[in-house]
Amino acid sequence: MEILEKSIIPMEFFTLLIGVIFSRKFWNSPSKYILAYLLIVFMLDSLAGIIFKSNNQWLYNLLSFSELSILTFIFYKSIAKLMHKRAIIVLYILCFIALMIEGVFIVHSFMGYLSYGFGLSSISIAVMCFIYLNAIARTEKILNVSRILLFWVVVGLLFYHLCVLPITVMIHQLPDIGNTENLLLIQYLSSIVMYVSFIIGFIWTQKEYNT
């Protein structure tokens, strides 16, 4: 378990490094902002795991909100249909409102982890992923979907968020649950699978399919 936990931050850095190396393949598409996402994840996770080891919930709040914002932007720019774009914006606004309500009226602080708001964010990211998959399924891109970077990103994101959603929602109750090791194992393994999917996308994607 400890080995898995300590492997997450190096895995984040390695994924970012591979992305930078192969960035010429997708630099002319909205997928290039995946690098910004990975950089922020690596930096904030490093701060929370190495420097601010206690009272670091605010860092995870910032990390989760940054993830939601960047991914919303990427999906919005990658989808052509106006109806889908509006759905993505609505999801983002709902998450923002939920986070504000939880921070102000429930937790009474943005220094404590906003589990319910980010539970909704996980659901919203998963829905955005399905919206994207539905959008490309209706175009010729589906014929070469494995060569599109964002497809592999979506696969990784879906796996991660669907696996950790129960943990995100129940995070305040974890100390009261007898054996939390299995839940943490799910989170660590889900993270690794997600980054492996990203790496496959960086290596396997082709420039002509990322516009």
Side-chain angles (χ1 to χ4, degrees):
M1 177 70 74
E2 186 177 353
I3 294 175
L4 279 176
E5 181 181 5
K6 290 183 177 180
S7 69
I8 299 302
I9 293 176
M11 189 68 177
E12 291 168 352
F13 177 76
F14 181 69
T15 305
L16 174 61
L17 179 62
I18 295 298
V20 171
I21 291 173
F22 291 95
S23 60
R24 62 180 179 81
K25 293 183 178 182
F26 54 88
W27 195 251
N28 293 325
S29 74
S31 295
K32 66 184 177 184
Y33 296 105
I34 293 296
L35 297 179
Y37 162 73
L38 289 170
L39 178 61
I40 290 174
V41 169
F42 170 69
M43 291 176 60
L44 294 180
D45 233 357
S46 298
L47 286 173
I50 299 173
I51 300 176
F52 298 99
K53 291 188 176 181
S54 60
N55 299 320
N56 57 10
Q57 293 91 340
W58 64 275
L59 275 171
Y60 287 110
N61 286 340
L62 180 59
L63 173 58
S64 298
F65 183 71
S66 299
E67 176 189 30
L68 174 66
S69 299
I70 294 173
L71 292 177
T72 297
F73 178 78
I74 292 172
F75 285 125
Y76 183 86
K77 298 292 287 185
S78 300
I79 295 174
K81 199 169 183 178
L82 183 59
M83 180 180 69
H84 291 156
K85 287 178 177 288
R86 288 174 176 171
I88 288 171
I89 292 300
V90 168
L91 287 170
Y92 181 78
I93 292 173
L94 287 175
C95 289
F96 182 80
I97 293 173
L99 290 169
M100 293 299 105
I101 291 174
E102 185 175 8
V104 174
F105 298 106
I106 300 176
V107 180
H108 305 294
S109 170
F110 291 99
M111 300 300 287
Y113 189 68
L114 308 177
S115 61
Y116 299 112
F118 288 120
L120 178 60
S121 296
S122 287
I123 295 173
S124 296
I125 289 172
V127 172
M128 290 180 193
C129 288
F130 284 120
I131 290 174
Y132 172 77
L133 292 175
N134 178 68
I136 63 171
R138 298 171 182 273
T139 68
E140 292 184 356
K141 290 182 178 180
I142 193 64
L143 299 176
N144 299 286
V145 69
S146 66
R147 297 294 186 174
I148 301 173
L149 172 59
L150 193 52
F151 168 76
W152 291 101
V153 171
V154 162
V155 170
L157 289 172
L158 274 176
F159 185 88
Y160 175 79
H161 283 283
L162 293 179
C163 287
V164 305
L165 179 59
I167 302 174
T168 303
V169 174
M170 296 189 304
I171 195 166
H172 293 305
Q173 286 76 43
L174 288 184
D176 300 324
I177 299 175
N179 185 7
T180 62
E181 285 193 4
N182 290 336
L183 296 177
L184 294 176
L185 179 63
I186 292 172
Q187 183 173 12
Y188 298 146
L189 289 176
S190 299
S191 296
I192 292 172
V193 170
M194 178 178 69
Y195 292 127
V196 168
S197 184
F198 285 14
I199 290 170
I200 292 172
F202 289 141
I203 296 173
W204 191 247
T205 189
Q206 291 185 356
K207 187 174 182 179
E208 57 266 33
Y209 300 116
N210 291 279
T211 55

